[in-house]
Amino acid sequence: MDVHLENAMSTVPNIIVVAHRPNYNLCMQQLQAFKFELRPDGQQERQMRRFAGSCRFVFNEALALQKERYEQGEKKLGYAGLCKLLTEWRKGPETPWLADAPTHPLQQTLKDLERAYANFFAKRADFPRFKKKGQSDSFRYPDPKQIKLDQGNSRIFLPKLGWVRYRNSRKVVGEVRNATVSLSGGRWHVSIQTRQEVEDPRHPARSIVGMDMGVACFAALSSGEIIAPASALQKRQRQLARAQRAMSRKVKFSNNWKKAKARIQRIHTRIGHARRDFLHKTSTAISQNHAVVVIEDLQVRNMSKSAAGTVHLPGRNVRAKSSLNRSILDHGWAEFRRQLEYKQTWRGGMVIAVNPRNTSRMCPACGHVDKANRKTQARFKCVACGHTAHADVNAANNVLAAGHAVMACGGDVRPHPHLGVGTAAPMKQEPTEATQIASAN
Ligand SMILES: [Zn+2]
């Protein structure tokens, strides 16, 4: 075997993720979330603020306690222990207002803290941080028995809030599982998660495609298609920079400064919407056209972290890297992958993630791996055999080849629902969303 080919094959054992598919007989459980803007009256709005505040308080109290225990060499309290404490706080003389908030959302906050710790220990996230007012103000009702949804009258019943009206933009399907109330951009929303059994779908397409995520362009497909980044985002980015400069010229905490700050907040919200819209449209289109999508298993989190470095080891190339990072985050790769995975699951297709090593340097014609193969961002020219191609499309073809290799090793090339590929255990399906902004699911 050729040395270079061997090199290419060595990527095979490093598969990380295979399509997420629960193993049900003929049905698949579909989790879906429907997000609506709430239209609370004044009293309800005040209560929602208070409830979110109570949840934040409980989260921060519990986190402070765990930190203290850690410093004193004591074991971390478990969820049950924390719940017991919560009951004491609710009855205690110092925080009587906690008793006004609904119990379940407060307990859910403790669950969130547990999860934050678990993610930290599994190295999926940073150490849990204290919550600040105005940052992800939200609370969750976990018990479907306490939630009533009256779609005909566009209202939802939530404990201690009563009937709250909402902007009914689409029909909620499935059985309600839980509801999360949150504040963003100065408006309250409810996200209703549902579950329903659907028949195991078969993907209408039979094709397989490789995908290379780029910096200059959003992505390139092995079929030769190039997906440009959302121009709306770049326009907003410029707006944002201008607004930030304007704010820096104002006297801090003055009225004009506050106005400028509110404007920045609005632009951030719009950037968020534009990004979501772009990601949903793109992931839907790709998922509709291809039964199997092979992507690179990029560690986006690591890539966007490394730039700043630490005090002892300052990052090199900070400026160049941070602009790359900004463009990575702009593009929202992690979110894109999540969407692509659940959309493929719904359609009966799959996503295969392969090791990204050498995908941009390898020649698909002769297998030669060389940095010199890619002298410029745009062109690929093999120094061994002279093969030339569009650099990103070339990388996408290498990704596709790696995907074929994975499927060959897994024993089944067809995206069959009950066989799957590779070794990963069926994972819990991620909740998915369908909101007003993203209707194209
Ligand atoms: Zn070559």
Side-chain angles (χ1 to χ4, degrees):
M1 186 188 272
D2 184 302
V3 170
H4 306 304
L5 264 179
E6 223 173 72
N7 204 344
M9 293 300 282
S10 72
T11 60
V12 172
N14 294 320
I15 328 149
I16 328 256
V17 166
V18 180
H20 300 178
R21 175 176 289 285
N23 259 332
Y24 295 107
N25 285 339
L26 271 166
C27 286
M28 178 174 81
Q29 241 177 36
Q30 184 168 301
L31 298 177
Q32 201 172 354
F34 300 85
K35 196 171 177 182
F36 302 106
E37 190 181 326
L38 286 172
R39 303 168 67 189
D41 60 30
Q43 166 74 3
Q44 287 170 330
E45 196 171 345
R46 279 192 294 280
Q47 277 173 307
M48 291 196 290
R49 267 180 210 290
R50 244 179 260 144
F51 295 171
S54 297
C55 285
R56 185 171 55 240
F57 175 85
V58 166
F59 184 92
N60 288 345
E61 265 320 86
L63 177 56
L65 183 93
Q66 300 285 36
K67 278 188 160 176
E68 212 180 285
R69 291 179 67 94
Y70 176 76
E71 276 155 25
Q72 290 169 358
E74 287 175 71
K75 257 185 87 181
K76 197 166 75 65
L77 267 187
Y79 173 67
L82 288 174
C83 280
K84 228 183 211 171
L85 271 180
L86 175 62
T87 313
E88 283 169 30
W89 293 340
R90 282 167 65 89
K91 287 180 184 157
E94 281 172 39
T95 49
W97 40 272
L98 276 184
D100 298 335
T103 319
H104 286 160
L106 295 177
Q107 290 172 345
Q108 287 296 303
T109 301
L110 297 175
K111 280 220 164 124
D112 291 345
L113 181 62
E114 283 279 292
R115 201 168 305 132
Y117 263 103
N119 285 340
F120 167 69
F121 288 130
K123 296 196 165 66
R124 283 188 298 262
D126 293 329
F127 190 79
R129 260 180 282 182
F130 289 106
K131 286 192 176 173
K132 285 188 194 149
K133 190 175 177 181
Q135 277 175 3
S136 63
D137 279 335
S138 71
F139 50 96
R140 182 168 63 245
Y141 292 100
D143 186 0
K145 286 197 287 297
Q146 298 192 342
I147 303 164
K148 280 176 233 149
L149 182 62
D150 177 6
Q151 299 196 63
N153 292 305
S154 305
R155 56 182 196 161
I156 182 168
F157 182 89
L158 298 167
K160 296 225 179 189
L161 282 173
W163 287 105
V164 190
R165 303 183 62 78
Y166 67 89
R167 282 186 199 280
N168 193 347
S169 52
R170 62 174 293 174
K171 193 165 176 266
V172 174
V173 290
E175 165 200 350
V176 174
R177 302 300 303 154
N178 60 55
T180 302
V181 176
S182 65
L183 179 68
S184 74
R187 290 173 190 198
W188 289 93
H189 298 86
V190 64
S191 176
I192 304 165
Q193 199 181 101
T194 67
R195 185 177 66 187
Q196 65 180 328
E197 300 271 317
V198 291
E199 235 175 79
D200 234 335
R202 281 222 153 226
H203 201 288
R206 309 304 298 160
S207 61
I208 169 168
V209 77
M211 219 176 153
D212 174 65
M213 307 303 249
V215 173
C217 64
F218 176 77
L221 301 184
S222 55
S223 54
E225 212 181 315
I226 308 282
I227 302 164
S231 57
L233 275 177
Q234 292 171 334
K235 196 181 102 194
R236 298 265 181 231
Q237 209 80 48
R238 284 195 296 275
Q239 266 182 6
L240 183 65
R242 219 177 307 133
Q244 278 164 340
R245 279 197 303 276
M247 189 174 90
S248 69
R249 287 193 295 267
K250 308 274 188 283
V251 180
K252 221 171 178 182
F253 305 118
S254 67
N255 274 339
N256 280 332
W257 180 84
K258 281 180 195 152
K259 266 186 226 159
K261 202 172 174 210
R263 182 172 151 68
I264 287 176
Q265 194 56 51
R266 275 199 305 278
I267 298 174
H268 272 301
T269 307
R270 280 189 209 128
I271 286 178
H273 287 173
R275 181 185 295 128
R276 275 180 70 91
D277 191 45
F278 170 74
L279 293 177
H280 269 298
K281 278 184 182 144
T282 310
S283 58
T284 296
I286 291 174
S287 161
Q288 275 170 343
N289 293 332
H290 304 284
V292 182
V293 184
V294 188
I295 58 170
E296 294 169 290
D297 193 45
L298 296 170
Q299 296 296 319
V300 176
R301 198 172 151 264
N302 293 344
M303 284 170 84
S304 57
K305 259 207 142 163
S306 56
T310 60
V311 183
H312 303 292
L313 196 73
R316 271 180 295 174
N317 255 337
V318 171
R319 187 173 300 170
K321 260 193 183 165
S322 61
S323 97
L324 170 71
N325 290 342
R326 206 184 58 203
S327 110
I328 289 169
L329 298 173
D330 274 354
H331 290 167
W333 289 346
E335 171 62 13
F336 175 79
R337 174 172 169 175
R338 191 187 71 81
Q339 292 178 4
L340 191 64
E341 281 173 349
Y342 83 68
K343 286 176 189 181
Q344 284 295 73
T345 306
W346 282 12
R347 290 203 169 83
M350 67 166 77
V351 173
I352 295 173
V354 295
N355 190 321
R357 198 157 54 96
N358 290 335
T359 47
S360 62
R361 298 171 179 177
M362 194 175 74
C363 170
C366 72
H368 183 64
V369 177
D370 200 327
K371 211 169 151 183
N373 283 349
R374 191 170 182 174
K375 280 216 177 74
T376 67
Q377 190 68 35
R379 285 311 287 176
F380 180 94
K381 186 168 193 289
C382 178
V383 291
C385 77
H387 170 79
T388 64
H390 182 289
D392 294 328
V393 173
N394 185 62
N397 271 302
N398 284 332
V399 170
L400 175 64
H404 274 302
V406 165
M407 297 215 296
C409 289
D412 187 8
V413 184
R414 288 171 303 132
H416 190 279
H418 307 304
L419 294 172
V421 161
T423 52
M427 285 192 194
K428 189 171 167 283
Q429 197 190 338
E430 296 260 342
T432 54
E433 67 278 275
T435 65
Q436 301 93 306
I437 331 158
S439 49
N441 279 300

